[in-house]
Amino acid sequence: MSDAQFDQLRKVIYQRAGIHFLDSKKYVLESRLSRRVEELEFDNFDQYIMYLTTGPYQMDEFQEMFNRITINETSFFRNEPQLLYFEQEILPKLIEARQAKKTLRIWSSASSTGEEAYTLAIQLTRSLGVRALDWKIEILGTDISEKVLLQAQEAKYPHYSVRTLSPMILQRYFKQDGNFYHLDPAIKSMCRFEKLNLKDRLSAKRFGTFDVIFCRNVLIYFDDDMRKSVINMFHDQLAKDGCLFIGHSESLRNLNVKFEQIAAPQAFAYTKL
């Protein structure tokens, strides 16, 4: 892959998904797309870029390309200290504040194969206990990749995905079938999954307002302009007393957005100003 081809490819990716590939990441695109160029029997990346940007298959190919260049690494109860803060500090306040309507809405942004959304559903079930039957819980998982969304909707996971779960959680919320673990249908029914490009603020608006938004380990792929756009979108769609959670390696500093960080170690949580 030449420098010119790399530049063309990353421009296409940025324009369509807002993901910015630094100069140092040229090898990532080259290594992950070389096999695709061979599969399509193209002679070079110029032909592939033409295929990706023109003709009737360009949107399908962008989806295929995106599946190959992104790492959908996730797991159940990932970054447990942060999730404990959510369950022990944020959820009780929201449950009390929503007591009249008994409705809670949570958005798991860039939800990948669904482990985060289902983790939140388990936490809500534990927090509400027998009261859960009286509540309307909506957990929305969104992702740009159709491939991972199909896996999320299936709610069937290999041992590797559940390797960090305690025996108690495995026994209570999963049923083993050979080499796979099927999630409890009651937990599965609390979540739904939709395709969404975080660059498309208009499409995101149709999902309405949320009490909690999780967007972890996604902002690291964006430049400052895209980060600010996404955070402003979350601001518009977060309830006044809602909470935004981001990844432990991310920050909203220097973005000039209307959020303030909660002063709690390992929470990585923000409320609206």
Side-chain angles (χ1 to χ4, degrees):
M1 181 187 292
S2 68
D3 289 343
Q5 291 166 340
F6 169 64
D7 197 48
Q8 282 182 279
L9 266 176
R10 67 175 174 178
K11 282 180 180 177
V12 171
I13 295 167
Y14 183 77
Q15 287 167 358
R16 295 189 187 177
I19 294 177
H20 177 60
F21 277 84
L22 299 171
D23 291 344
S24 59
K25 297 296 183 180
K26 174 186 171 185
Y27 74 96
V28 174
L29 288 185
E30 185 170 20
S31 62
R32 294 181 187 172
L33 294 178
S34 291
R35 176 73 63 85
R36 183 58 178 162
V37 172
E38 292 176 6
E39 289 173 0
L40 293 169
E41 299 183 348
F42 291 147
D43 295 328
N44 51 53
F45 275 98
D46 286 331
Q47 292 179 358
Y48 179 70
I49 292 167
M50 183 70 70
Y51 182 72
L52 182 67
T53 55
T54 60
Y57 304 110
Q58 55 178 304
M59 296 311 298
D60 290 339
E61 183 55 35
F62 181 78
Q63 187 66 234
E64 176 64 32
M65 180 193 70
F66 199 83
N67 289 335
R68 296 182 183 225
I69 65 174
T70 52
I71 300 174
N72 295 293
E73 183 180 339
T74 184
S75 61
F76 286 94
F77 288 88
R78 189 178 188 185
N79 193 353
E80 196 159 8
Q82 183 185 42
L83 291 171
L84 283 174
Y85 183 83
F86 162 69
E87 186 172 356
Q88 296 172 359
E89 301 294 334
I90 299 300
L91 262 186
K93 294 175 184 176
L94 285 173
I95 289 171
E96 183 177 352
R98 306 293 187 271
Q99 191 64 40
K101 291 187 176 181
K102 289 184 169 56
T103 298
L104 273 173
R105 303 192 74 232
I106 298 176
W107 182 5
S108 170
S109 172
S111 60
S112 187
T113 45
E115 287 91 334
E116 179 178 87
Y118 291 134
T119 294
L120 300 175
I122 290 172
Q123 290 185 289
L124 274 163
T125 301
R126 293 194 307 201
S127 295
L128 287 168
V130 293
R131 297 175 294 169
L133 294 173
D134 299 326
W135 282 69
K136 183 180 180 182
I137 306 298
E138 298 179 45
I139 301 175
L140 172 69
T142 63
D143 203 280
I144 195 174
S145 170
E146 293 173 346
K147 180 181 178 181
V148 297
L149 290 174
L150 288 172
Q151 291 176 258
Q153 289 163 352
E154 195 173 14
K156 182 179 78 172
Y157 296 95
H159 181 266
Y160 183 82
S161 295
V162 300
R163 68 193 184 282
T164 58
L165 292 180
S166 69
M168 184 181 71
I169 291 178
L170 265 182
Q171 185 176 1
R172 184 171 180 181
Y173 297 108
F174 292 84
K175 181 179 180 182
Q176 186 173 2
D177 180 15
N179 295 323
F180 288 92
Y181 293 79
H182 295 259
L183 188 66
D184 184 332
I187 299 297
K188 182 180 176 182
S189 68
M190 295 169 66
C191 304
R192 68 184 178 97
F193 296 90
E194 299 272 356
K195 182 181 175 182
L196 178 70
N197 184 339
L198 287 176
K199 197 169 185 181
D200 190 351
R201 294 179 67 172
L202 190 61
S203 291
K205 277 186 178 181
R206 75 183 191 272
F207 297 128
T209 302
F210 295 90
D211 303 298
V212 181
I213 297 176
F214 275 80
C215 184
R216 303 191 294 174
N217 308 309
V218 180
L219 300 177
I220 53 175
Y221 295 106
F222 300 147
D223 63 7
D224 283 348
D225 288 342
M226 182 63 182
R227 286 189 194 103
K228 188 171 182 177
S229 175
V230 170
I231 296 302
N232 283 335
M233 175 179 68
F234 291 153
H235 184 277
D236 292 344
Q237 294 185 239
L238 187 66
K240 289 181 179 179
D241 59 345
C243 188
L244 168 67
F245 288 90
I246 65 173
H248 66 278
S249 62
E250 299 169 324
S251 172
L252 304 190
R253 263 184 261 127
N254 304 321
L255 289 183
N256 191 28
V257 290
K258 297 177 181 179
F259 279 99
E260 62 179 347
Q261 188 167 6
I262 293 175
Q266 297 183 298
F268 311 106
Y270 292 79
T271 54
K272 295 170 77 167
L273 286 173

